[in-house]
Amino acid sequence: MAVHAHPDDESSKGAATMARYAAEGVEVLVVTCTGGERGDILNPRLENDPEVLRDMPGYRRREMAAAAAALGVSQRWLGFVDSGLPEGDPLPPLPPGCFGLEPLEVTTEALVRVVREFRPHVMTTYNENGGYPHPDHIMTHRVSAAAFDAAADPDAFPSAGPAWEIAKLYYDHGFSRARVTAIHEATLAAGKESPYADWLERWGDRDDRADKVTTRIECADYFDQRDRALLAHATQIDPDGFFFAVPREIEREAWPFEEYELARARLETAVPETDLFAGIRETA
């Protein structure tokens, strides 16, 4: 089970891993906490599209369905409302009724219900900083961590179904500095212009928790499926943008995996790992 904040997050974080496991016969479920209703239109080709402007929530639901199909996974909406990304100094308050302001017990019970129905062995989500400080990403972390504990407790939310213990909880490391640096340097070595130069310049001394990585999943064979899922989120992904600026053969050579941090485990497992199900397959 991969728990994400918005439709499109699942396609930019851990998508090739999910596609690999789905192809191997693992049941994979993406849980999307919000509908992405307040997302900006980031693709210039759609910024004045009347269908998008008339029905952004519906459009993003259709995008999500196409992305899930591209990855070969199932998907569920948790049913909360996008908080938007507040900007300004000082930051404006979050809009009433949004995911970031929901009581934790309300959001946790909603996710516990899905956990107890689906009964995953592994959950992936974001770290306590949300991967980046979007209020919905931070709330997604809080909800996932709380549901990891509550789903296993028969006294917690008893009306949400029989208790279920998730064996392992992982944080997705997404666009780490190591990944961006490796692809950047390989692109330059190939004599091409890198789209990541400015990004690395702005990185500064911000900690990307590289020392926390425990698990690398080889998934280069599934980058094409990841890309199709990304492109399915047409309002959010510019096909001429940096996601697609590096030739895939360079990426496959420089960084053929996705990285995770094992945050919680209810069984013994040795790190580093090359499988999210390490320790589980042996005891299943």
Side-chain angles (χ1 to χ4, degrees):
M1 174 183 286
V3 186
H4 286 283
H6 312 104
D8 80 81
D9 287 326
E10 84 297 325
S11 296
S12 59
K13 305 166 189 68
T17 296
M18 290 191 291
R20 171 187 160 171
Y21 282 121
E24 292 175 354
V26 174
E27 290 183 70
V28 180
L29 177 66
V30 171
V31 177
T32 313
C33 293
T34 80
E37 299 89 349
R38 291 189 168 96
D40 294 326
I41 300 172
L42 303 179
N43 182 350
R45 302 177 191 190
L46 291 179
E47 59 186 5
N48 295 311
D49 186 286
E51 183 182 358
V52 177
L53 296 175
R54 182 174 62 250
D55 183 20
M56 174 65 99
Y59 204 94
R60 296 203 71 182
R61 281 181 171 268
R62 293 188 288 277
E63 290 177 337
M64 182 68 249
L71 296 175
V73 305
S74 301
Q75 187 264 344
R76 289 278 293 274
W77 301 98
L78 209 57
F80 297 101
V81 177
D82 189 347
S83 302
L85 182 58
E87 295 179 305
D89 187 12
L91 290 174
L94 295 179
C98 72
F99 182 51
L101 295 180
E102 289 281 358
L104 185 59
E105 63 270 20
V106 171
T107 54
T108 300
E109 180 175 14
L111 183 54
V112 165
R113 286 182 180 277
V114 182
V115 168
R116 289 177 177 173
E117 176 187 333
F118 183 67
R119 305 201 303 171
H121 293 91
V122 170
M123 176 187 285
T124 66
T125 191
Y126 317 133
N127 65 32
E128 61 272 15
N129 299 318
Y132 79 106
H134 189 298
D136 287 338
H137 284 242
I138 293 170
M139 177 60 95
T140 297
H141 161 79
R142 296 178 63 208
V143 172
S144 300
F148 181 86
D149 291 327
D153 181 358
D155 294 326
F157 310 114
S159 65
W164 175 258
E165 285 192 351
I166 305 170
K168 300 168 84 175
L169 174 67
Y170 286 93
Y171 299 155
D172 187 325
H173 271 243
F175 279 89
S176 66
R177 177 158 42 189
R179 175 187 177 187
V180 173
T181 300
I183 298 173
H184 169 73
E185 291 177 350
T187 304
L188 294 179
K192 298 182 179 296
E193 184 178 352
S194 169
Y196 296 117
D198 290 343
W199 195 347
L200 287 169
E201 254 185 54
R202 296 194 303 270
W203 206 296
D205 59 358
R206 177 165 54 90
D207 180 21
D208 71 346
R209 302 164 63 110
D211 60 327
K212 302 287 188 182
V213 170
T214 60
T215 311
R216 279 183 166 181
I217 307 301
E218 293 275 351
C219 52
D221 289 345
Y222 300 91
F223 285 174
D224 287 345
Q225 281 180 258
R226 176 203 63 191
D227 289 350
R228 291 200 300 274
L230 278 168
L231 288 168
H233 291 289
T235 60
Q236 303 302 298
I237 302 297
D238 181 355
D240 299 319
F242 77 91
F243 271 114
F244 304 101
V246 174
R248 285 298 171 250
E249 60 269 21
I250 293 177
E251 183 184 8
R252 289 187 181 95
E253 183 68 27
W255 199 264
F257 34 73
E258 292 175 336
E259 291 185 318
Y260 299 84
E261 172 186 340
L262 179 60
R264 303 273 299 278
R266 290 191 165 102
L267 46 71
E268 292 294 324
T269 181
V271 296
E273 302 171 321
T274 57
D275 180 10
L276 297 181
F277 295 91
I280 296 173
R281 296 185 193 276
E282 296 82 355
T283 59

